């Protein structure tokens, strides 16, 4: 058989039906659902007299809209409450496993899927959320879908998709000290641009990727969509298998050993061809900070805010000008001199235990700058609990951080955690679009370490000198 | 789903690249559990000032573009969030077609699921259309999905476009994907029994 990429192996083994000129029908092994993108899908099922085909392959939780204050307080926003209640009603009597606000397994879908052991190598995973690409870090094919497609998966357990092209992003060499997984992906997007991956499934390869922990790999895959890609994936290896061994709902014992033997066949064969290759030298990466209003607008911490006049195309120039006006930044300002009002440590990009440990080690024994309001929102109830068992919450609270309960929170400004107009935030989330964290709010994307250091200093600092 | 055959209507130019779905409809308006009613929030951060009054500079608020049913925009339209509320908001507002040099994948898929036509044209053609719309505000465009042609009312610009044949067939007939897939129920069952 011809040499195949990991993507092709997983795709081919999930094709249910193919007809030329039509999108393929692909079987879905795991469907994660949450409160925001599902009510209309369940309505559609009811209208057409259809049921949920495989409740046993569907997992539901609430994350986007849940308040992150203490759990004993009620949800005061009536419309949010309606949406949360709608999911509970919709999954009732279907047999779908549901982790509600109070469940010990609740959390951001992309944090709980891998952490609980539902996301496994070789699977096809979908969710009505663009950051589903996160799960690809375990060596599976994971794609974000819209609500009509959610309805399609609920009804048929399949998805209709045209086969994406493949792209290899290879990071050669070892990561320099102070350069995190977040910087790797910001560096990649800075290079390929936010539409560089359109129509492609990316596989990340190279020593720098192999050396990352599972949490770090998830950070990289998470932002594949920010490069426009359909999916992001990393071949499973010993790091992956060791991670899976610890997961409560993953296979155990002999079943796991047999599964690992199968998973070892997944990595891309030598000689397999990708449609596109991008190579990056790890030594060229540094801690990055976004200066504009899309994730491709990145600069090294030691750089300055670019001058729009330095861009070649009129469209780029115009969008850089618009971005700087929105962000309230002057061209040529050193990034390190940008002052910060708020810190958001959380979101499915960087709210796992490794992220919290990394940030805690930066701030230990220090105090948040008096001009800054900083908050930590763990990605799931389990991450929160583990952090508390390790005493990380105490480090954060002693430094002056607000310690919250799990959810998407200020990543998308849907619950009460939002920026006020003009407020500037160093955020570990994945999108710095205009108004993403609240109308008029200004977002700079950074790693957890960089966010933590900015909280203390009140402005961006080079973590390599911390 | 409402079939899409021909549309003729005012086209509004939004000359920006990378218009993300957080701009099409900000998250704060995603709390509804309905499929309709999002039109009033379309482009809300650009359409309205902080005090809620309409921003007179935004194209859709200008008198010539009232009742626009077509949008012409820069490349990578619809990037970011997978929220289907973006096509729902466009449609609820009255938009039937978006023309751009490229679209983000998930948004592109979501459009077809809702009978909204995303047309990809080469950068130069989009530029020509944009210039024409800016020169003659309120210009109407005709879009014929059967003949795969776009032309303005003065026939100054006449363009051909392409749409994936399968997508075209579904749009012309207003077919919903689930019904089509369920025609392959046996194949799904066969797949399930072998795994
Ligand atoms: S944390 Fe942010 S990006 Fe992740 S699922 Fe939630 S809203 Fe989406």
């Amino acid at each position: 058989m011809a040499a195949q990429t990991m993507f092709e192996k997983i795709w081919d083994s999930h094709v249910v039906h193919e007809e030329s000129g039509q999108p393929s029908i692909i079987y879905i092994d795991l469907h994660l659902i949450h409160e925001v993108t599902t009510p209309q899908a369940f309505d559609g099922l009811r209208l057409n007299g259809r049921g949920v085909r495989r409740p046993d392959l569907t997992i539901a939780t609430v994350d986007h809209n849940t308040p992150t204050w203490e759990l004993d307080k009620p949800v005061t926003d009536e419309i949010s409450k309606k949406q949360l209640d709608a999911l509970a009603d919709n999954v009732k009597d279907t047999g779908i496993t549901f982790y509600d606000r109070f469940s010990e397994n609740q959390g951001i879908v992309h944090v709980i899927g891998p952490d609980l052991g539902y996301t496994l190598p070789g699977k096809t995973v979908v969710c009505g959320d663009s950051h589903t690409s996160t799960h690809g870090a375990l060596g599976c094919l994971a794609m974000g879908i819209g609500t009509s497609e959610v309805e399609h998966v609920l009804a048929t357990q399949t998805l209709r998709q045209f086969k994406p092209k493949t792209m290899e992003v290879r990071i050669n060499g070892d990561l320099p000290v102070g350069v995190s997984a977040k910087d790797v992906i910001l560096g990649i997007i800075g290079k390929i641009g936010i539409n560089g991956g359109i129509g492609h499934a990316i596989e990340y390869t190279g020593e720098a990727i192999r050396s990352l922990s599972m949490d770090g790999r998830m950070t990289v895959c998470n932002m594949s969509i920010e490069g426009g890609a359909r999916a992001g994936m990393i071949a499973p290896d010993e790091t992956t298998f060791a991670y899976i061994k610890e997961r409560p709902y993953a296979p155990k014992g002999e079943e796991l050993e047999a599964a690992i033997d199968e998973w070892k066949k997944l990595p891309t064969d030598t000689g397999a061809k990708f449609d596109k290759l991008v190579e990056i030298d790890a030594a060229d990466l540094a801690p990055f900070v976004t200066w504009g209003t899309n994730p491709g607008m990145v600069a090294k911490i030691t750089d300055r805010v670019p001058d729009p006049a330095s861009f070649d195309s009129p469209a780029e120039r115009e969008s850089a000008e618009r971005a700087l006006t929105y962000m309230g930044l002057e061209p040529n300002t050193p990034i390190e001199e940008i002052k910060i009002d708020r810190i958001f440590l959380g979101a499915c990009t960087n709210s796992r235990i490794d992220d919290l440990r990394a940030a805690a080690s930066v701030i230990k024994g220090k105090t948040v700058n008096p001009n800054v309001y900083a908050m930590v929102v763990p990605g799931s109830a389990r991450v929160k609990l583990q952090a508390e068992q390790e005493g990380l919450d105490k480090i954060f609270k002693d430094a002056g951080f607000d310690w919250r309960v799990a959810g998407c929170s200020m990543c998308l400004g849907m619950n009460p955690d939002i920026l006020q107009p003009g407020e500037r935030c160093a955020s570990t989330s994945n999108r710095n679009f205009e108004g993403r964290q609240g109308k008029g709010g200004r977002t700079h994307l950074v790693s957890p370490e960089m966010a933590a250091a900015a909280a203390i200093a009140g402005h961006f600092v080079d973590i390599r000198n911390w | 789903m409402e079939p899409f055959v021909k549309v003729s209507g005012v086209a509004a130019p939004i000359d920006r690249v990378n218009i993300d779905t957080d701009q099409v409809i900000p998250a704060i308006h995603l709390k509804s559990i309905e499929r309709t009613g999002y039109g009033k929030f379309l482009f809300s951060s650009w359409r309205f000032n902080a005090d809620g009054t309409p921003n007179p500079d935004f194209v859709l608020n200008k008198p010539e573009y009232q009742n626009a049913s077509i949008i012409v925009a820069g490349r990578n339209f619809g990037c970011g969030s997978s929220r289907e509320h973006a096509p729902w908001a466009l449609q609820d507002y009255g938009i039937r077609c978006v023309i751009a040099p490229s679209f983000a994948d998930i948004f592109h898929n979501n459009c077809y699921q809702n009978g909204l036509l995303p047309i990809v044209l080469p950068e130069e053609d989009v530029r020509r259309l944009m210039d024409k719309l800016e020169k003659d505000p309120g210009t109407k465009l005709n879009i014929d999905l059967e003949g795969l042609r776009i032309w303005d009312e003065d026939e100054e610009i006449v363009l051909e476009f392409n749409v994936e044949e399968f997508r075209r067939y579904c749009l012309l007939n207003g077919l919903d994907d689930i019904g089509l897939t369920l025609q392959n129920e046996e194949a799904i069952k066969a797949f399930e029994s072998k795994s």
Side-chain angles (χ1 to χ4, degrees):
Chain A
M1 208 158 110
Q4 280 189 308
T5 61
M6 175 165 66
F7 164 79
E8 284 160 341
K9 293 181 195 184
I10 301 177
W11 178 274
D12 287 357
S13 64
H14 286 83
V15 172
V16 171
H17 181 78
E18 261 178 334
E19 246 168 86
S20 90
Q22 288 198 18
S24 311
I25 302 178
I26 297 295
Y27 202 79
I28 300 304
D29 298 322
L30 174 62
H31 186 196
L32 297 157
I33 62 175
H34 63 85
E35 77 277 20
V36 178
T37 57
T38 53
Q40 298 85 355
F42 280 100
D43 269 354
L45 288 184
R46 275 190 291 271
L47 272 172
N48 293 293
R50 291 171 179 143
V52 178
R53 186 179 182 94
R54 294 295 301 268
D56 56 323
L57 302 182
T58 313
I59 305 287
T61 194
V62 289
D63 53 6
H64 282 64
N65 216 338
T66 51
T68 59
W69 51 62
E70 286 310 316
L71 283 172
D72 52 8
K73 289 193 197 155
V75 181
T76 49
D77 181 330
E78 280 303 317
I79 326 175
S80 294
K81 187 168 177 319
K82 216 166 142 191
Q83 203 169 57
L84 295 166
D85 292 346
L87 181 61
D89 285 345
N90 283 330
V91 297
K92 202 167 71 202
D93 306 324
T94 57
I96 294 174
T97 301
F98 177 44
Y99 300 126
D100 69 8
R101 267 181 81 210
F102 306 101
S103 165
E104 58 187 17
N105 289 336
Q106 176 269 346
I108 305 174
V109 275
H110 312 311
V111 175
I112 69 168
D115 182 47
L116 294 175
Y118 292 115
T119 305
L120 295 172
K123 278 192 178 185
T124 47
V125 180
V126 295
C127 172
D129 187 281
S130 58
H131 292 100
T132 309
S133 57
T134 312
H135 305 255
L138 283 90
C140 57
L141 174 58
M143 295 183 285
I145 56 178
T147 296
S148 297
E149 291 171 316
V150 168
E151 184 181 336
H152 190 280
V153 178
L154 288 171
T156 69
Q157 201 57 33
T158 67
L159 186 65
R160 275 181 175 268
Q161 289 280 305
F162 284 104
K163 190 175 181 174
K165 294 197 176 97
T166 56
M167 176 169 173
E168 180 182 4
V169 175
R170 195 187 302 157
I171 315 289
N172 294 313
D174 295 329
L175 287 184
V177 177
V179 174
S180 73
K182 182 65 161 285
D183 302 307
V184 172
I185 188 64
L186 287 173
I188 293 170
I189 298 163
K191 179 166 169 119
I192 68 173
I194 62 169
N195 52 4
I198 287 190
H200 289 76
I202 296 180
E203 183 178 341
Y204 301 95
T205 64
E207 302 93 84
I209 297 291
R210 293 259 78 86
S211 70
L212 293 174
S213 69
M214 286 315 295
D215 285 0
R217 293 178 188 188
M218 285 186 240
T219 301
V220 172
C221 288
N222 176 275
M223 290 188 71
S224 304
I225 181 74
E226 261 56 67
R230 205 66 197 82
M233 54 208 316
I234 294 172
D237 59 12
E238 292 305 324
T239 307
T240 321
F241 307 145
Y243 175 89
I244 292 171
K245 275 195 187 120
E246 309 285 313
R247 307 297 125 195
Y249 299 107
K252 301 266 178 261
E254 277 175 28
E255 202 193 330
L256 177 64
E257 293 312 316
I260 291 177
D261 287 341
E262 284 306 306
W263 296 339
K264 286 184 175 162
K265 299 177 191 157
L266 287 169
T268 295
D269 301 327
T270 20
K273 284 256 173 307
F274 289 86
D275 296 300
K276 221 173 172 177
L277 166 69
V278 173
E279 282 191 89
I280 292 177
D281 195 347
D284 292 341
L285 298 171
F288 287 107
V289 178
T290 63
W291 52 265
T293 51
N294 74 50
M297 295 172 158
V298 297
K300 290 182 179 168
I301 176 70
T302 45
D303 282 350
R304 291 166 183 265
V305 173
D307 187 338
S310 67
F311 291 91
D312 300 333
S313 84
E316 304 273 351
R317 214 156 33 233
E318 200 251 355
S319 64
E321 266 161 23
R322 188 189 300 280
L324 290 191
T325 309
Y326 181 85
M327 294 296 289
L329 291 173
E330 289 300 321
N332 301 315
T333 309
I335 301 283
E336 288 201 70
E337 282 175 20
I338 301 173
K339 287 201 171 58
I340 298 298
D341 306 307
R342 313 246 317 209
I343 303 291
F344 172 59
L345 218 128
C348 56
T349 334
N350 284 122
S351 60
R352 298 179 181 78
I353 193 71
D354 276 7
D355 302 311
L356 303 191
R357 286 179 188 144
S361 73
V362 168
I363 58 155
K364 194 168 183 174
K366 302 193 164 66
T367 311
V368 169
N369 185 285
N371 301 321
V372 172
Y373 166 77
M375 71 194 232
V376 191
V377 187
S380 71
R382 265 167 58 90
V383 169
K384 177 169 185 276
L385 182 67
Q386 185 172 355
E388 287 168 356
Q389 283 165 351
E390 294 179 16
L392 303 182
D393 61 320
K394 191 159 181 320
I395 298 178
F396 283 116
K397 285 190 258 185
D398 286 352
F401 275 78
D402 212 352
W403 179 253
R404 297 295 189 93
V405 301
C408 294
S409 179
M410 210 166 68
C411 174
L412 88 165
M414 210 173 158
N415 78 358
D417 307 331
I418 55 169
L419 293 180
Q420 297 307 309
E423 270 189 330
R424 188 179 298 286
C425 178
S427 177
T428 64
S429 56
N430 41 38
R431 291 199 169 127
N432 51 348
F433 298 145
E434 285 182 24
R436 170 80 178 179
Q437 297 191 297
K439 192 169 175 172
R442 294 162 172 166
T443 304
H444 296 272
L445 304 177
V446 287
S447 70
E449 295 89 328
M450 288 284 287
I456 307 298
H459 57 87
F460 290 115
V461 284
D462 190 340
I463 194 69
R464 294 170 297 189
N465 307 329
W466 191 253
Chain B
M1 200 169 84
E2 191 188 343
F4 187 114
V5 184
K6 282 197 177 82
V7 162
S8 111
V10 172
I14 307 185
D15 195 359
R16 299 188 192 188
V17 295
N18 304 321
I19 295 175
D20 58 78
T21 52
D22 275 86
Q23 305 319 314
V24 180
I25 182 164
I28 199 86
H29 306 304
L30 309 185
K31 294 181 188 176
S32 159
I33 56 172
E34 314 292 330
R35 228 176 235 267
T36 53
Y38 299 101
K40 53 182 178 292
F41 308 123
L42 179 71
F43 295 120
S44 69
S45 309
W46 293 343
R47 240 166 94 204
F48 303 107
N49 297 316
D51 61 0
T53 55
N55 166 11
D57 296 332
F58 186 63
V59 58
L60 293 177
N61 289 335
K62 295 185 181 166
E64 310 86 289
Y65 297 106
Q66 294 307 304
N67 307 318
S69 56
I70 297 163
I71 284 176
V72 180
R75 71 175 142 73
N76 199 24
F77 188 94
C79 59
S81 160
S82 64
R83 60 188 69 161
E84 202 157 316
H85 309 71
W88 293 338
L90 286 161
Q91 235 174 359
D92 193 57
Y93 181 88
I95 303 297
R96 298 293 317 275
C97 171
V98 182
I99 302 173
S102 62
F103 291 90
D105 290 328
I106 304 179
F107 177 82
H108 199 232
N109 278 344
N110 285 343
C111 285
Y112 288 118
Q113 307 292 341
N114 292 282
L116 182 76
L117 176 63
I119 298 181
V120 178
L121 288 180
E123 197 99 35
E124 319 81 76
D125 288 345
V126 173
R127 189 74 265 154
R128 277 174 70 204
L129 281 175
M130 201 88 88
D131 291 347
K132 165 79 184 164
L133 300 177
E134 275 162 6
K135 181 166 67 90
D136 300 323
T139 295
K140 280 191 172 155
L141 293 182
N142 299 294
I143 294 168
D144 174 9
L145 183 59
E146 262 178 330
L148 294 170
R149 270 178 8 120
I150 305 174
W151 65 100
D152 66 294
E153 49 195 340
D154 313 328
E155 301 203 34
E156 253 181 56
I157 302 179
V158 180
L159 300 165
E160 291 182 353
F161 66 95
N162 258 317
V163 172
E164 203 72 63
E165 188 44 43
F166 172 78
R167 299 295 194 196
R168 186 169 84 121
Y169 172 78
C170 291
L171 278 178
L172 286 172
N173 297 290
L175 290 179
D176 119 306
D177 267 14
I178 299 181
L180 279 172
T181 299
L182 287 174
Q183 291 173 1
N184 296 291
E185 170 94 37
E186 287 311 313
I188 301 175
K189 280 195 189 141
F191 186 94
E192 284 176 332
S193 62
K194 88 173 184 249
S195 48

